[in-house]
Amino acid sequence: MLSQLARLHTRRAWIYILSLTILAVLVIPVLNRAVPKDSVFYLPDYLISLCGKFLCYALVALAMDMIWGFSGILSLGQGVFFSLGGYAMGMHLMRVMAGEGVYRSQLPDFMVFLDWKELPWYWLGFNHFWFTVLIIILVPGLLALIIGFFAFRSRIKGVYFSIITQAMTFALMLFFFRNETGFGGNNGLTDFKRILGFSLQEPAVKVGLYIISALVLLISYLLCRYITMSKLGRVLAGIRDAESRIMFSGYNTLHYKLFVFTLAAVLSGVAGALYVPQVGIINPSEMQPANSIEMAIWVAVGGRGTLVGAVIGAGLVNAAKSWFTVAFPNLWLYFLGVMFIGTTLFLPRGVVGLAAILAKKKLTGRDSLQMIDSE
Amino acid sequence: MALNGAYGHIAKKDGMVDTSHRTVLYVDGVTVSFDGFKALDDLSLYVDDGNLHCIIGPNGAGKTTLLDVITGKTRPDTGSLFYGQSIDLSKLSESEIAQAGIGRKFQKPTVFEHHTLFENLELALKCNKGVWHSLFGILTPIQRRRIAEVLETIGLTDQVDQKAGLLSHGQKQWLEIGMLLMQDPGLLLLDEPVAGMTPQEIETSANLLKSLSGERTVVVVEHDMEFVRAIAQWVTVLHEGRVLAEGKMDEVQHNPKVIEVYLGE
Ligand SMILES: Nc1ncnc2c1ncn2[C@@H]1O[C@H](COP(=O)(O)OP(=O)(O)O)[C@@H](O)[C@H]1O
Ligand SMILES: [Mg+2]
């Protein structure tokens, strides 16, 4: 087991991963919690929340890379799976603060506002944390399994699949926007108080959520890495490059596509669930079709089919976004478009591909994090 | 959804295709039309077990379409397709037909360009093709040896760790044939296997194909008469979706209808 894990990377790459993990789960928290506030090394609380958010985005990007980068299936519905995970978590957080809302009712405030007398059946069970965890995994996974089954069985591919997933995104967004649906309408779910008994206002709890996000990202990365290094990963890449050859070699591609689409949906759902307690709100705007497209751009910028690239891309694009939307709020979308077109034209393998070229020039040695496709 | 269940029922039949009547493939009255145009027109054709059977015909005769219906890529409008005595190909999907023991090379060489030669052959290897097996399975020493053997057969041992995308056109054709061999098929269908090859490469290919028939059945689709003359034991001439002539190469060559179609153009 351990030796199998060790084989996922070269020794050098493992050292990088270990250092990054220590930086993320040890150094950064210490700089926030233990360093005095007037020190230059102090990391303010808002930066911790921002990093936590980025880690969740990175997890979605990882999922996007599995489905698109490795398997060549451009799903433009990852934002929906992310939001479903987020809503499940939001419903849990609403339920555990029953009686503490503005109206002191056992029901969430928006239901009181709608004059509802009792909890709809689909809200039952969310007061239990483990039930919620189950839903976070099951709902995105099942939705992907069903949509994927019908789409892949009918051999829907390429841009048609992208359009179908965008349509699903749009439909679900409208569904969640409606007040009668029972998910808080356009305001969504917010004003959460605590998670597992810990106050969400506490800086220490925020650091805790951030650390958990980092660890979940690490584990998910290793899981994806294991898959892509296995024969399963090579079959997925084979589907991307020459699907008919895979079929005529005796593989039922339906099963493989369902596997990777469902996996990507579950990872996205988990990311959404980690995201919601850290940002304190989930509403239907997370399901905007544009959000799902942006997730594809993260991966394109970082470098498709590399996993690390997805993580880096999510970080880079979102860091740029955080800065831009403050400095030049009107220009962000243009900049995003330019970045996307620029990388597609000039850096087909993204930032990671560029780094590999530069490193090769300097070292003429092996890549630091062996990319699947470095010529 | 049983992700790994697809293999079981086929596996039992695998390698034991019933050829008790010496015929390995039955194509009976098959018609395929595209928007009214009949690419295959009530076509019947039988392939004997262990033969090296060539199907020739001018461009557009329906040769590729015939391979498409045999391998499940296209469904016939009418007619029946049997592999051996008992396997009804019209009821199986592409992947099930492949698992049943029919391997196919495409007209345009199709290999996994981003994978190494070793990985290409590994992907084609005959084994459980389910998702979980792909995730957790590891190659046995016997399987590794088999990959080495096939690399030897197709003469690409030195390029084992090279990306397939870097191979020449002819080498890609051989790699694809190698991938078929990894499937250990009872019936090999090769669509224009020497297209774009140099005369030298063609000669190597001819020897390779001849060495393959016997223990398995090989069907070669070609429009190059020279090559067919060099290898064929049995020839079917296809024209406008129908069988024009059939027999030994010498007979077919002197058939006036064939001469008209081939030399008339
Ligand atoms: N998918 C298709 N749609 C329409 N026509 C097709 C299709 N596939 C093949 N055809 C037509 O069927 C005829 C036979 O094609 P094909 O089997 O490729 O010929 P060959 O391989 O003998 O050159 C051609 O006239 C071709 O244009
Ligand atoms: Mg053809």
Side-chain angles (χ1 to χ4, degrees), chain A residues 4 7 145 149 155 223 226-260 371-375, chain B residues 1-6 71-73 93-95 98-99 102-106 110-115 119 122-125 127-137 163 176 179-180 183:
Chain A
Q4 248 182 328
R7 250 180 286 146
L145 207 58
F149 178 75
R155 307 261 164 106
L223 175 76
Y226 177 81
I227 292 171
T228 57
M229 294 289 282
S230 74
K231 185 176 155 199
L232 174 51
R234 294 190 280 282
V235 175
L236 291 175
I239 290 176
R240 176 192 65 197
D241 297 335
E243 185 175 356
S244 51
R245 185 44 48 237
I246 285 285
M247 282 191 324
F248 289 107
S249 300
Y251 297 91
N252 187 336
T253 53
L254 171 66
H255 296 169
Y256 283 83
K257 290 179 180 178
L258 277 180
F259 172 85
V260 70
M371 268 132 286
I372 54 149
D373 181 22
S374 48
E375 286 149 13
Chain B
M1 192 79 243
L3 287 170
N4 56 352
T71 53
K73 192 174 178 212
S93 69
E94 292 100 318
S95 56
Q99 288 175 3
I102 299 183
R104 174 188 185 171
K105 199 196 90 59
F106 296 100
T110 311
V111 297
F112 305 115
E113 310 231 329
H114 294 276
H115 291 78
E119 290 168 341
E122 178 210 20
L123 281 172
L125 174 76
C127 64
N128 185 333
K129 299 285 166 87
V131 171
W132 301 124
H133 189 270
S134 295
L135 186 55
F136 298 115
K163 293 261 162 74
E176 199 176 355
M179 289 165 77
L180 299 190
Q183 281 174 251

Side-chain angles (χ1 to χ4, degrees), chain A residues 29-44:
Chain A
V30 164
L31 292 183
N32 170 252
R33 300 297 300 152
V35 171
K37 288 199 171 157
D38 46 13
S39 159
V40 282
F41 295 110
Y42 173 71
L43 269 183

